Structure formats: structure tokens, C-alpha cells
Amino acid sequence: SGESGAGKTESAKLLLQQIMNLCKGNSQLEQQILQVNPLLEAFGNAQTVMNDNSSRFGKYIQLRFQKNTVRGAKLSEYLLEKSRVVHQDAEERNFHIFYYMFAGLSSEEKEMYGLLDPSLYRYVSGQFGTQDVAQRWKDKYQEVCNALDMVGFQEQEQVDMQAILAGVLSLGNVTFDPEESNGPIKVSEASQGWLKAAAVDALSQFVCCVPCSLVSPSVSCCCSPCADARDSIAKMVYGRVFGWIVGKINELLAENVDPEVELTEIGILDIFGFENFAVNRFEQLCINLANEQLQHFFNHHIFHMEQAAYKEEGLPWETIAFNNNEPILNLFLAKPLGLLSLLDEQSAFPQATDKTFVDKLNSSFKGNLHFQPAQGRVLGFSITHYAGKVQYAARGFLEKNRDTLPASVRGLFISSVTPLLVPLHIHHEPRTTLARVKCGDEAHVLRHSLMVLMERLYSANPHFVRCIKPNSQKEPGVVDNQMVLLQLRYNGLLETIRIRRDGFSWRPFFEEFAER
């Protein structure tokens, strides 16, 4: 755990490599497990203001062992930031894979997928960078292709996947003419070419509630508002491609052993770090809540359980106080008046708006020490997290929580001309217990996801790797003492040092003690 950009993903990769080295098997399975990371980073990571390779999802890798040999692995993914597909803030980028494709595909391949100059695409903001950056992306694209081969993706699956991604980009450039009085909304003349480009994978049909005639220059659309439907489709398609990749990885890495054989397990959780940007949205709220849960888990193990054990054994012990964040979790998760419950309740009312949601929060949390209404006419609120105060902009909260699609859009997947799009739609099982394939209240999914994750963690014997961010400039070799001290304080590490120094951190079994 740690802030965004503190080094969690790099630490997790080093830990994974070390475990694979200790196995000394160097088997194909071990190589496949190591190849999973560059694949997931390409599709799940992006450049943010705080981190050039920021994980925009959480992952939990379960390694399963028989004696000292790794026999299989399973990956769970959490809360992919799908909104990044359609919108990025200043100085931020979309998911890496889009840039890798532009840099790595040959001219012939780009033509096959209908890809033009990257600066033309709304979803990638025209940010392409220098020649050096382009070369690095080209190398990364080759790395992704190698990883896809190594993990076991078929050639046609890789082609379909890239056709869908290219189609998503083209879909983002489809615009609509203003609605005439009582008439249908029409795809603008200027974006007819983009609509045809998106048809590489039948995505064009999804822009409308009824199948579109791609031949006709005026394509009627009964979705309102059309731009929101277009963006919802792009987010949903990308999310399902990502989920399909994770599912495919799990199929390929599943252990092939007798069910009677007992396997031991090491799990590595690498989850998005605490975030506090200039503008914090629904996604930051979800990320920061997950971090609150992890901090509470840390407190429980390091302070509650440790000190309870000392008291139980009658040891002379002066209780060490720590910053308990349980009241903040209650603010989020309590029923029926926690923030997430209120968000779900408001999302169920068609007439509700982001303003009515904020008004509801202001009245429900009046006097709560961890909640502050926004000043003036700002539509938002602030929450004092364990890591500090964060101001959230409430615009878009209800829409993102509903995460809805036009009802008649869904059936169009079944008749898609791109083979991969059909299974993307007709998966009936959730990709993981943490993300449902069907659309629904994101707050409900988040709450369930965190519950399942915490159950998993509480049933294990945890080791905590606390990553400390040295500076906010993304510079190597620079340590900002005040920034480091702040993190040591809010993470509870100063109290942890006290409990480790004054307590009994090494606990040998009696036989081991006697032998020594």
C-alpha cells in the first residue's frame, strides 16, 4: 500500500520475480506468470499527474504451490477506471495500450484497423509525445505482443482485440446534429466516416437504439443524450475486453493437479494508491475508500490484535494509542445512511440530480467531524480521510454510479461480425467476484467488492509492504523530508515502530527457542 506513485506496482513485480526465483523451477508456467504483468499494465495502467505508470485498477495475484513448486495462479481485478477511456484531465493520458498501438502497428495494420493519425482522436486528446517516447511505446507494443503469445492468446483473438480497440477510438469521434423539433437525433455528416471506421467491429450499431444502416447518410438515433450513450458503450466495451483478458489469463494459468492434493497459497495485493488531485471525482472517492479499508485492516492487525495478545498473556503493557479510522468507514458504509447507501438511493430516482445528492449528504452528515459541505456555490463536499482532507466534485456522481446503457444496445452484441464481441456480451458469470458484467449501481459493486476483498485478507496471515513516496515531482534521488514524515504519520508507521520496539515482534516456537 501507499500513495499513488509510491512504488507499489514495481514492488509487487520484484516480489513476484523473487518468489519465482526461489521456486528454481524456471518452468513455462513461471514464465507465463511473470509475463502477465506487462500485459495488465498495458491495458490497466495510464499516465496521471502523480505517476507516469499509474495502476487504474487493483489486482490480487494468488500463487498456488505444491511443496516448493508453483502449480497455478489466479488473478482478480478490481474497479477498473473505465471513465478514463472517454475522458482524461490535463497532463494525463488514456490507457497505455492505445498509444502502444499507434507506435507499434505497421502502416498496413493501421489501415486494416482503420487507424489514422493519433492527433485526430478525441479519446486520446492528441497527446503523442516526442520521437523518443514513440520509440519507447513501439518497444512496449512488441512486449505486449510477446506477452500475449507467451500467455497463450490465439492470433485471431489478438486481431479481434485490436480491431475492437480501434473501433472504440473511432466511436469517440462520432458526433450528433442537434435534435430538430420532434425529429430523430442524427449522426452528423462530418462523422459518417468515423461511424464506418467503428463498423470494423460492429460498434457503429451500438450508437443507436435500432440497427443503423451504414449506407444511408442519415442514421437515426433514438438514444438521448446520444453522446452519453456513445461514451457509455466505449467504456463498457473496454471494460469487457479487460475482463476477458483477465478471464483468459486465469484459464491459461489454472493449476492442473489432482483435486485431492492440498495446495498452499501466497497472495499479492497491488491496489491503487490514495489520490488527492486538483479535481477529485467519483473514481477518486472509490479509490480512497479502498485505501481506508486497507488502513483499517493494518490497524486491526498491528494495534488491536497485537496489544490484545499482550494483555491476554498478562504482560506489563502500556496501551499505544493510534489513529482509528473506523468513523470514516462508517460515514461511507453504514446502512441506511452511509454515503454509498445514499448514493444508491438517489441513483434509483429518475428525477434525482447531483445537487439533490449533495443536499442529502449535507443534511445527513451535519455535524460529522469527517464531512464538510462545500463553500459557496461549488457542487461538492470534503471528507477528512486518514491521509488528509480531500475535496470531491460531485458533478457526474449519479451518472457514473448508474453506469447505464440503452436497453436495446445490449442485444446487438450477439449479432456482431467480430467473433470476440459475442462472448464479451454473453458471459453470464461475473469476471471476478469484484465486478459484475451487467450494468448496475457502481457503489453497490464497490461495497460488495471491498467486502469480498477484506474477507479474503482477514482469512490470511498478512505481511505489509508500506511504500513511501519520496517526492511529488516524479524525480529520482530526491527525498522531501516533510512529505516522507507526513506519510509516516498518517500511515501509523511511527506508532508501529513504537509497538515493534517496545513489544515482542519475534515469536519463535518453543522448540526453536530451546534449540537456539
Side-chain angles (χ1 to χ4, degrees):
S1 60
E3 278 190 22
S4 180
K8 296 179 298 301
T9 298
E10 293 305 312
S11 298
K13 284 194 286 192
L14 289 169
L15 190 53
L16 195 61
Q17 286 171 19
Q18 170 69 353
I19 292 169
M20 291 299 107
N21 284 337
L22 289 171
C23 291
K24 293 187 169 64
N26 201 25
S27 66
Q28 186 186 2
L29 176 62
E30 286 160 21
Q31 289 305 308
Q32 286 176 315
I33 290 169
L34 292 174
Q35 285 295 323
V36 162
N37 260 317
L39 197 53
L40 292 174
E41 283 188 25
F43 286 87
N45 288 27
Q47 178 182 311
T48 68
V49 175
M50 297 175 79
N51 183 358
D52 289 348
N53 185 33
S54 178
S55 299
R56 308 316 299 164
F57 71 109
K59 66 176 179 285
Y60 185 62
I61 302 175
Q62 295 162 270
L63 303 170
R64 289 175 175 149
F65 298 87
Q66 184 180 3
K67 297 184 178 170
N68 289 329
T69 307
V70 64
R71 299 305 299 265
K74 186 184 178 189
L75 182 74
S76 300
E77 54 100 351
Y78 307 73
L79 304 167
L80 179 72
E81 188 189 44
K82 293 178 292 188
S83 60
R84 183 166 293 272
V85 175
V86 302
H87 173 81
Q88 307 95 45
D89 286 330
E91 297 180 56
E92 300 211 343
R93 295 190 193 276
N94 207 324
F95 291 104
H96 293 326
I97 187 61
F98 292 113
Y99 305 93
Y100 296 172
M101 281 173 64
F102 279 119
L105 288 170
S106 66
S107 303
E108 293 78 16
E109 288 169 324
K110 285 179 186 171
E111 191 175 336
M112 178 176 79
Y113 294 128
L115 281 176
L116 304 176
D117 189 276
S119 63
L120 298 171
Y121 292 92
R122 195 173 65 86
Y123 284 169
V124 289
S125 313
Q127 304 170 14
F128 202 68
T130 63
Q131 195 62 41
D132 289 348
V133 171
Q135 183 56 49
R136 192 165 71 246
W137 286 342
K138 188 174 182 178
D139 296 341
K140 286 284 186 184
Y141 177 77
Q142 197 51 55
E143 204 177 297
V144 170
C145 291
N146 294 342
L148 287 165
D149 289 337
M150 168 67 82
V151 176
F153 286 80
Q154 301 300 312
E155 187 179 346
Q156 188 56 49
E157 290 174 330
Q158 296 182 38
V159 169
D160 286 351
M161 187 196 309
Q162 295 188 85
I164 292 169
L165 296 178
V168 165
L169 291 180
S170 296
L171 186 65
N173 284 9
V174 173
T175 56
F176 305 91
D177 283 334
E179 190 171 0
E180 299 165 16
S181 57
N182 300 321
I185 301 170
K186 310 233 173 160
V187 173
S188 67
E189 285 293 328
S191 59
Q192 289 295 327
W194 294 115
L195 193 63
K196 288 178 182 175
V200 168
D201 42 59
L203 283 173
S204 57
Q205 290 187 307
F206 307 153
V207 181
C208 307
C209 287
V210 293
C212 306
S213 164
L214 295 178
V215 184
S216 166
S218 78
V219 181
S220 296
C221 180
C222 55
C223 302
S224 181
C226 284
D228 286 348
R230 172 201 63 206
D231 289 349
S232 291
I233 291 157
K235 290 187 289 184
M236 181 268 296
V237 169
Y238 190 85
R240 293 193 188 179
V241 167
F242 188 76
W244 173 77
I245 289 170
V246 170
K248 198 77 177 147
I249 286 170
N250 284 335
E251 282 175 28
L252 296 161
L253 300 185
E255 59 270 12
N256 184 19
V257 292
D258 189 318
E260 300 298 311
V261 174
E262 190 178 342
L263 298 178
T264 50
E265 185 177 297
I266 296 175
I268 303 172
L269 177 70
D270 170 23
I271 203 159
F272 22 59
F274 187 85
E275 292 184 345
N276 190 358
F277 295 141
V279 179
N280 299 289
R281 299 186 171 88
F282 179 72
E283 292 79 15
Q284 277 67 52
L285 183 107
C286 295
I287 285 168
N288 292 342
L289 171 56
N291 280 273
E292 288 283 359
Q293 285 275 43
L294 288 178
Q295 180 65 21
H296 185 263
F297 177 65
F298 176 80
N299 288 344
H300 176 79
H301 271 272
I302 299 299
F303 299 113
H304 285 294
M305 288 176 66
E306 186 110 351
Q307 299 191 85
Y310 295 167
K311 286 174 184 171
E312 192 181 311
E313 296 199 16
L315 298 171
W317 181 256
E318 187 181 325
T319 300
I320 292 176
F322 61 96
N323 185 15
N324 187 355
N325 67 334
E326 203 161 310
I328 307 170
L329 286 180
N330 288 337
L331 185 151
F332 276 102
L333 301 172
K335 291 180 179 180
L337 291 176
L339 189 148
L340 295 191
S341 291
L342 294 172
L343 180 58
D344 278 350
E345 175 195 278
Q346 288 286 298
S347 299
F349 295 129
Q351 292 80 19
T353 64
D354 294 323
K355 185 178 185 315
T356 64
F357 168 60
V358 170
D359 291 343
K360 189 84 175 173
L361 294 185
N362 291 342
S363 62
S364 299
F365 299 134
K366 193 173 183 180
N368 189 306
L369 296 176
H370 299 283
F371 180 91
Q372 294 87 37
Q375 300 297 312
R377 295 186 175 184
V378 177
L379 186 64
F381 54 91
S382 296
I383 291 177
T384 305
H385 289 277
Y386 78 97
K389 186 175 174 180
V390 178
Q391 184 170 338
Y392 294 100
R395 193 169 303 285
F397 262 59
L398 292 192
E399 180 201 333
K400 287 174 181 176
N401 187 45
R402 289 173 182 143
D403 198 23
T404 50
L405 274 178
S408 49
V409 161
R410 298 172 199 173
L412 292 168
F413 275 87
I414 304 302
S415 57
S416 170
V417 295
T418 300
L420 177 56
L421 273 176
V422 180
L424 288 188
H425 181 66
I426 57 177
H427 271 312
H428 294 299
E429 291 298 313
R431 298 196 296 266
T432 71
T433 50
L434 296 150
R436 299 174 303 177
V437 170
K438 63 180 187 291
C439 296
D441 289 344
E442 288 287 305
H444 176 82
V445 178
L446 171 64
R447 194 162 44 227
H448 178 69
S449 300
L450 289 174
M451 183 184 76
V452 173
L453 172 61
M454 298 322 292
E455 282 174 1
R456 203 174 254 172
L457 296 185
Y458 274 103
S459 68
N461 175 29
H463 296 259
F464 298 95
V465 180
R466 307 293 272 185
C467 300
I468 302 296
K469 189 172 182 175
N471 65 75
S472 54
Q473 290 77 47
K474 301 190 269 194
E475 288 292 330
V478 177
V479 177
D480 179 338
N481 288 339
Q482 286 306 308
M483 185 174 180
V484 168
L485 185 59
L486 179 67
Q487 291 169 82
L488 295 178
R489 281 196 173 120
Y490 75 61
N491 278 321
L493 291 182
L494 300 182
E495 292 85 353
T496 305
I497 290 165
R498 272 192 64 199
I499 209 168
R500 287 285 178 260
R501 183 190 63 194
D502 299 344
F504 304 86
S505 55
W506 185 57
R507 298 164 195 183
F509 289 107
F510 182 78
E511 291 80 3
E512 187 185 351
F513 171 72
E515 195 177 307
R516 285 175 69 91

